[in-house]
Amino acid sequence: MRTKIIIGVILSLGVTALISLFGAKDTLFSAFRAIDLLIFSFACFLYFIFILIDAVRTKLLLTHDGVRIGYLLCLQNTVLGLYTSAITPFSAGGQPFQIYHLVKNNVSIERSSMAIGVKFITSLTLMITASFVLIALNGKRLVSDSSSAFVIYTGFILTSIVYVFFLFLILSKNFTYKIFTSKLLTRMISRLTKKNTGVVFKKTVDSLSNYFGMIRNLWTSSKLLLIFNVLLTGLEIVLTMSVPYILMLSFGFQKVNYFEFLAAMLAMTMVVYFLPTPGSSGGVEGAFYMMFKNLVSRDIVVATVITWRLITYYTMIAVGTFLLSRLLWTLKQTKLQ
């Protein structure tokens, strides 16, 4: 884990240093001297509100399913999910670790998977939809540049493929059964858990049956909750995508169109999902520079990258490391008693 954190930080800092050197080496310090700390603080506040709202979504989905869970535990779950995403290749560890964390806190794997799965597919659905609409309405300048157009179209294609897969995995009973009850996966789980393949197969079938029962119950009995979840998800996306926009304003840049910026952010986010570095580090910084260098002055782009990643990446690594270390120490003390 320590190695992954070091690799991610080195890649992120390395790419940031490169774009700083070639993009704005003479004017970067001037941009930082002009920063409005009040507006910068507001950007930090928006990201904090995003974290609080994400924890609310987890609590609402679990509470509806009869789970008694505290809000602070849900908040911890959100932070650990962001932390794990920041240190795993393709940013792929967030949701699995959130499920693991909930299971370790006495939430069944079916209920944990349902809550995290619904959150994930809702977020991805809204992001794809919003990206398509905003690019169509406000993305003419983005697709007119060959590098930006390549990023956008690649993101749409890759994300659409992954989206369809996860949509079937979360919502299609037959598709999910075929994957999780396959002989290969059953044997792998059997070896890891040191249990008979028949026992593993039965446990998998029972868990999947319970999971899809919960999904069906959520859909039939709680449409209002699902609508509220969609609204909260939309607010989350607006908040997170607005953080770098507010940071640009803190450096005194006022000429970028908000909806055009939002379209570029959403398109860029879909691409960096597929970068194999820990937390997509290195690629995020490079993609951001590529997307915005023709929309915003380059010194502002570089300054925004640095402060944006400070808030959303380095801070999450620091807080997550502290939180995880504290949890592991608590578990160790519990075992010793």
Side-chain angles (χ1 to χ4, degrees):
M1 184 179 295
R2 186 181 301 172
T3 302
K4 292 178 181 178
I5 294 173
I6 293 172
I7 291 172
V9 171
I10 290 175
L11 285 171
S12 179
L13 291 175
V15 173
T16 301
L18 283 174
I19 61 176
S20 300
L21 179 64
F22 293 104
K25 64 177 181 179
D26 298 322
T27 55
L28 183 59
F29 288 111
S30 297
F32 274 109
R33 282 197 295 268
I35 190 172
D36 187 318
L37 292 178
L38 183 61
I39 299 177
F40 172 79
S41 300
F42 182 62
C44 297
F45 176 73
L46 289 185
Y47 195 70
F48 179 66
I49 295 299
F50 148 72
I51 294 173
L52 295 180
I53 292 174
D54 191 76
V56 169
R57 290 173 64 203
T58 304
K59 181 170 176 59
L60 286 174
L61 289 167
L62 288 173
T63 302
H64 164 266
D65 203 43
V67 178
R68 298 185 65 180
I69 187 169
Y71 177 73
L72 287 179
L73 183 60
C74 294
L75 188 61
Q76 187 181 84
N77 187 259
T78 291
V79 173
L80 287 173
L82 293 169
Y83 164 73
T84 315
S85 292
I87 64 171
T88 50
F90 301 98
S91 302
Q95 288 79 24
F97 190 83
Q98 284 181 302
I99 293 172
Y100 170 81
H101 175 253
L102 291 173
V103 171
K104 284 295 183 181
N105 283 278
N106 303 315
V107 181
S108 70
I109 190 169
E110 299 91 344
R111 287 180 168 84
S112 302
S113 300
M114 182 275 294
I116 301 303
V118 169
K119 286 177 61 182
F120 174 76
I121 204 65
T122 305
S123 298
L124 198 53
T125 300
L126 287 184
M127 284 188 65
I128 291 174
T129 304
S131 297
F132 181 81
V133 173
L134 287 172
I135 290 293
L137 296 177
N138 299 280
K140 291 181 179 180
R141 277 208 297 169
L142 297 176
V143 295
S144 64
D145 178 79
S146 58
S147 59
S148 297
F150 174 77
V151 170
I152 291 169
Y153 294 139
T154 302
F156 273 129
I157 293 170
L158 293 177
T159 305
S160 298
I161 293 171
V162 172
Y163 173 72
V164 171
F165 172 78
F166 278 107
L167 189 65
F168 276 99
L169 188 65
I170 293 171
L171 302 178
S172 172
K173 190 173 184 178
N174 291 333
F175 182 77
T176 307
Y177 265 76
K178 286 180 181 179
I179 292 178
F180 283 94
T181 60
S182 64
K183 290 182 179 180
L184 177 61
L185 192 57
T186 300
R187 287 174 182 170
M188 288 176 59
I189 296 174
S190 176
R191 289 179 181 178
L192 289 172
T193 59
K194 298 180 180 179
K195 293 181 179 179
N196 182 273
T197 53
V199 174
V200 171
F201 182 83
K202 186 178 184 304
K203 175 63 176 176
T204 302
V205 170
D206 290 343
S207 295
L208 289 175
S209 178
N210 291 334
Y211 167 78
F212 280 104
M214 293 171 191
I215 290 289
R216 183 170 56 253
N217 178 62
L218 181 65
W219 175 252
T220 56
S221 66
S222 305
K223 289 187 174 61
L224 187 61
L225 174 61
L226 288 174
I227 293 171
F228 189 51
N229 174 57
V230 170
L231 293 175
L232 287 178
T233 304
L235 180 57
E236 274 192 27
I237 292 172
V238 171
L239 288 173
T240 52
M241 297 297 121
S242 296
V243 168
Y245 179 81
I246 300 299
L247 290 172
M248 282 189 180
L249 297 182
S250 74
F251 292 109
F253 197 85
Q254 306 284 340
K255 298 178 182 179
V256 63
N257 179 278
Y258 175 73
F259 291 104
E260 187 177 37
F261 181 91
L262 200 59
M265 277 297 299
L266 287 166
M268 185 205 76
T269 301
M270 289 193 298
V271 175
V272 299
Y273 270 141
F274 306 99
L275 296 173
T277 56
S280 303
S281 54
V284 172
E285 293 81 2
F288 188 93
Y289 181 75
M290 187 185 298
M291 289 294 291
F292 292 102
K293 63 184 176 64
N294 294 322
L295 299 179
V296 183
S297 58
R298 299 191 178 193
D299 56 333
I300 301 296
V301 174
V302 176
T304 300
V305 167
I306 294 171
T307 50
W308 174 49
R309 292 297 271 174
L310 174 66
I311 296 169
T312 62
Y313 182 69
Y314 301 115
T315 300
M316 286 299 101
I317 287 179
V319 174
T321 299
F322 170 78
L323 190 57
L324 186 60
S325 300
R326 185 178 176 184
L327 287 174
L328 293 175
W329 185 85
T330 302
L331 289 173
K332 184 178 181 181
Q333 292 302 309
T334 303
K335 289 180 180 179
L336 292 174
Q337 292 177 356

